[in-house]
Amino acid sequence: MTDDGTGHLAIFGGKPIFPTPLHVGVPNLGDKERLYARIDSILTRRVLTNRGPLVTEFEERIADLVGVRHCVAMSNGTVALEIVTRALGFEHEVITPSMTFVATAHALQWQQITPVFCDIAPGGHHLDPARIKDLVTPRTSGILPVNLWGRPCNIDTVMSVAAQYDLPVVFDSAHAFGCSYKGKMIGGFGNAEVFSFHATKFINSFEGGAVVTDDDELAETVRLMQNFGFEARDTVVHVGINGKMTEIEAAMGLTSLESMASFVEHNQQNYAAYREGLHRVPGIRLIEYDEREHCNYQYIVIELDERITSVTCVQMLNILAAENIDARRYFFPGCHRMEPYRSYFPNASMLLPNTENLLGKVLTLPTGTSVSVEQVEKITGLIVRVIESGQSIATRLHAQSGRRDNYLKSVCEA
Ligand code: T4K
């Protein structure tokens, strides 16, 4: 331990707080015995895919939970986005945020549709509905907002702007299964919504996703498209692809669903512990959930204001990593700075000041059922200590990187 009290940090050679890494996104697992029994039943039936009984049951359970007429289970959320936007006739240009996982933009670009990036609202994390009208052109065919972190965007305003321009809306609700907006479950808004059931999501089916909608015709088209356009054996009535969920994925999905309440409870306890540990830390803002709504609490997101904290976001990331806390910079550097969008729109950052500002300060911290409240308390305790000693840590890190640069220079020159 040095005089300034920072010597104990693993980044300066101390022992890491955790012996093995804590990740963002370690899968929530349901009852293994129930899963094994389902897998056994699959093998007995020898129906492995092509909408077997478990996929059908999974679809019914999801539709029921969300309160919509149709759920079409998919191989993953990205394919679900591709299929539903195609089924709705999205083309040319679609308005979507850059503050999202790159799959949102890729699902469009994969079909030669240009994602037109809309900035987020000041101080928020979601697409700013007030800016949509500036981006609408005669080529605009739809809007693809994202219910990021499971927190709904300003759905009412998005829908009224969409109505004004007669544009269909698909919500990317990959994060938002089990969440609600103004008392109504996410999944029931817009023309359709898409969930992801990837391993890292609140409810997982290993890989998986779903399109949910109340539109009978759309559901029918989506179902045709996900199965090569087959209406019946030997009858293809539509262009299609393979977007089917397998039975083993549905087995995992159903097992996951059965534990949904306990996942929420666990996540909520972790969230409360993070809030308790961080709420008075200067320069750190925990992104809050509206507890009057249904929330899945699957993402713990902080904003770090470098003007106050002395340590930068990247320094914090490295300090945490040295302690075996694998925080993530979701979704840095923003879709607009990733290829191919970066080459297509080299000046996009000028139109996305709020997105740019936010991406520089967001960190996502470990939670989920593999992370305990005690571990959360250790993480928040560490963050508090780092912020308290921010100035001296930043100075030491600066000196450390200077020494490393000199060493590398001498090695190169030797
Ligand atoms: N829209 C949005 C807004 C999305 O966030 C996503 C996906 C999509 C659409 C598309 O849905 P999908 O097509 O994926 O269904 C992950 C996921 O791959 C991705 O599904 C997710 N969003 C995104 C936010 O996160 P990475 O790059 O963080 O994955 P990875 O492999 O680094 O996993 C994170 C951590 O989780 C690892 O450090 C270890 C742990 N982990 C992961 C897996 C896969 C495990 O412990 N076990 C595992 O099996 O992308």
Side-chain angles (χ1 to χ4, degrees):
M1 183 90 88
T2 60
D3 286 343
D4 63 11
T6 60
H8 60 286
L9 292 174
I11 202 157
F12 299 132
K15 189 175 167 216
I17 293 180
F18 298 106
T20 53
L22 255 64
H23 297 287
V24 174
V26 175
N28 296 328
L29 298 178
D31 182 338
K32 285 185 197 171
E33 294 308 320
R34 298 276 299 155
L35 176 63
Y36 298 150
R38 287 193 166 103
I39 294 173
D40 198 46
S41 80
I42 294 170
L43 299 180
T44 304
R45 271 191 301 276
R46 295 188 190 231
V47 176
L48 308 188
T49 186
N50 290 3
R51 202 154 183 243
L54 296 187
V55 166
T56 307
E57 187 185 342
F58 187 62
E59 290 178 338
E60 286 167 2
R61 293 279 322 271
I62 299 287
D64 200 41
L65 263 156
V66 168
V68 292
R69 277 212 296 282
H70 306 281
C71 168
V72 184
M74 295 274 180
S75 49
N76 58 65
T78 309
V79 166
L81 283 171
E82 286 170 10
I83 291 180
V84 72
T85 51
R86 191 168 180 131
L88 273 166
F90 280 26
E91 56 180 355
H92 305 311
E93 293 178 3
V94 167
I95 297 169
T96 194
S98 174
M99 179 65 202
T100 179
F101 188 56
V102 73
T104 316
H106 279 354
L108 299 169
Q109 190 63 49
W110 191 255
Q111 307 175 71
Q112 315 298 326
I113 300 169
T114 302
V116 174
F117 295 123
C118 182
D119 205 3
I120 54 174
H125 287 216
H126 296 107
L127 169 147
D128 184 354
R131 291 183 184 242
I132 293 176
K133 64 178 185 321
D134 301 331
L135 303 173
V136 174
T137 73
R139 290 170 60 77
T140 308
S141 62
I143 308 177
L144 179 53
V146 180
N147 289 318
L148 202 73
W149 318 129
R151 296 161 80 238
C153 65
N154 190 343
I155 293 178
D156 282 348
T157 317
V158 168
M159 290 311 295
S160 72
V161 176
Q164 209 180 323
Y165 295 97
D166 200 18
L167 291 170
V169 181
V170 172
F171 288 95
D172 178 340
S173 298
H175 300 178
F177 181 70
C179 305
S180 66
Y181 173 75
K182 297 191 176 174
K184 178 177 167 181
M185 293 308 283
I186 295 289
F189 295 94
N191 295 70
E193 300 203 39
V194 164
F195 294 126
S196 166
F197 299 117
H198 180 260
T200 55
K201 297 299 188 301
F202 164 60
I203 294 295
N204 88 82
S205 58
F206 299 128
E207 288 272 359
V211 172
V212 284
T213 181
D214 273 324
D215 181 333
D216 301 344
E217 204 178 317
L218 177 64
E220 184 54 30
T221 310
V222 165
R223 205 174 273 297
L224 285 171
M225 286 176 115
Q226 77 149 184
N227 187 26
F228 315 102
F230 275 103
E231 187 181 56
R233 190 178 288 190
D234 306 332
T235 313
V236 172
V237 296
H238 213 289
V239 67
I241 193 170
N242 183 352
K244 290 166 288 167
M245 176 178 274
T246 65
E247 283 289 278
I248 204 159
E249 287 168 335
M252 183 64 167
L254 284 165
T255 309
S256 236
L257 275 180
E258 285 166 354
S259 297
M260 185 166 153
S262 68
F263 295 166
V264 173
E265 194 186 338
H266 191 105
N267 281 355
Q268 191 170 12
Q269 282 167 2
N270 281 354
Y271 166 68
Y274 272 113
R275 205 177 41 192
E276 176 61 26
L278 297 177
H279 79 290
R280 283 211 193 92
V281 184
I284 299 284
R285 175 177 168 232
L286 175 72
I287 298 312
E288 301 216 348
Y289 290 96
D290 181 349
E291 301 207 47
R292 294 163 304 179
E293 300 285 350
H294 292 281
C295 306
N296 63 31
Y297 304 96
Q298 179 70 1
Y299 289 94
I300 297 294
V301 183
I302 58 168
E303 287 176 22
L304 183 144
D305 186 341
E306 294 181 355
R307 293 165 307 182
I308 300 174
T309 55
S310 301
V311 289
T312 66
C313 199
V314 172
Q315 285 170 338
M316 180 64 90
L317 187 79
N318 292 336
I319 291 165
L320 294 172
E323 305 289 349
N324 272 326
I325 303 161
D326 185 16
R328 299 291 295 261
R329 295 189 81 188
Y330 287 152
F331 290 103
F332 183 84
C335 297
H336 64 289
R337 286 185 181 268
M338 296 176 180
E339 292 296 356
Y341 316 107
R342 178 193 163 111
S343 298
Y344 292 162
F345 319 113
N347 300 322
S349 53
M350 286 160 65
L351 300 171
L352 303 168
N354 299 328
T355 305
E356 289 266 307
N357 177 41
L358 181 68
L359 283 163
K361 56 184 184 183
V362 161
L363 284 180
T364 310
L365 300 172
T367 187
T369 50
S370 67
V371 179
S372 67
V373 165
E374 292 70 33
Q375 288 173 319
V376 170
E377 285 166 354
K378 286 185 181 172
I379 296 172
T380 58
L382 170 73
I383 293 174
V384 170
R385 289 197 300 281
V386 169
I387 299 300
E388 278 170 0
S389 310
Q391 191 63 59
S392 69
I393 289 173
T395 308
R396 282 191 71 174
L397 286 173
H398 194 66
Q400 207 176 45
S401 71
R403 280 198 300 278
R404 196 179 49 233
D405 289 351
N406 286 340
Y407 170 74
L408 289 174
K409 201 165 156 232
S410 66
V411 170
C412 291
E413 285 168 359

